[in-house]
Amino acid sequence: MASRPQELLHLLTRAERLSVRRVQSVLDEFDCSVEAWRVLDLLSDGQGHNMTALADHAFLPAPSLTKLIDQLVDQNLVFRRVDPADRRRVLACLTPRGTQRWQQLVRGVRTDWAELEPLLTDETGERLDTLLDRLAEALEGGRVTTGRGERAVGRGR
């Protein structure tokens, strides 16, 4: 167990980089970036999402997301529409071709990750999901449940 923040950061960074490298090797077959895959994944729910939500999900700054969305529109994978709830906002949505591409990407990544699935779906994998969610919430300034009650965490508290 990583007891120091730098050890934990090293382990998380290493796992993230290796995971991204592996996923990117699959996405390369489809000429797709990890960021585009993340955007298509969020849009796959059929709800349409605003640029802020997409930027957060893809871990991209707004100007980079705009450029990526422009590329996805040019590829006929995504279209833009006015948000009916707030006509000042624009929502991005998948085209039928975008849905097909997302399904291809999901199949490719799942096939490649099949050997890792037992690690990710057993009890340990579920605990890892829970721990990572709790850590992310804590680092975002939320509250952490420690089993001895709730406590505030983060800077300035």
Side-chain angles (χ1 to χ4, degrees):
M1 175 76 185
S3 59
R4 298 183 311 176
Q6 61 269 35
E7 292 167 349
L8 178 61
L9 183 59
H10 177 78
L11 290 171
L12 290 170
T13 300
R14 182 170 176 250
E16 190 267 345
R17 287 183 179 170
L18 291 169
S19 298
V20 167
R21 189 178 308 148
R22 183 159 182 159
V23 168
Q24 187 61 66
S25 71
V26 174
L27 299 178
D28 284 344
E29 298 173 28
F30 299 93
D31 194 28
C32 182
S33 68
V34 170
E35 294 80 14
W37 176 61
R38 288 175 175 152
V39 167
L40 296 175
D41 183 60
L42 183 60
L43 294 178
S44 71
D45 67 5
Q47 301 299 306
H49 293 274
N50 65 46
M51 297 303 128
T52 302
L54 290 169
D56 288 347
H57 193 76
F59 301 104
L60 286 172
S64 298
L65 175 72
T66 298
K67 183 177 177 181
L68 176 59
I69 294 295
D70 289 344
Q71 292 169 355
L72 295 173
V73 167
D74 290 345
Q75 296 169 19
N76 192 27
L77 300 175
V78 170
F79 69 94
R80 294 179 178 103
R81 69 177 170 91
V82 174
D83 183 347
D86 182 350
R87 301 197 52 79
R88 296 168 297 174
R89 296 180 87 159
V90 173
L91 300 177
C93 303
L94 285 183
T95 65
R97 184 169 186 244
T99 299
Q100 289 176 336
R101 174 62 57 87
W102 174 77
Q103 290 169 344
Q104 290 173 328
L105 297 172
V106 167
R107 278 193 302 273
V109 170
R110 283 188 181 153
T111 298
D112 183 67
W113 280 63
E115 69 191 52
L116 300 173
E117 193 167 339
L119 293 171
L120 303 173
T121 57
D122 68 1
E123 184 180 317
T124 303
E126 290 175 20
R127 284 198 329 254
L128 179 61
D129 282 351
T130 300
L131 288 170
L132 290 173
D133 280 342
R134 288 178 57 203
L135 178 61
E137 287 177 17
L139 293 170
E140 288 175 341
R143 301 187 79 74
V144 171
T145 304
T146 63
R148 295 181 298 260
E150 211 175 74
R151 63 186 171 106
V153 296
R155 297 186 74 165
R157 291 188 185 199

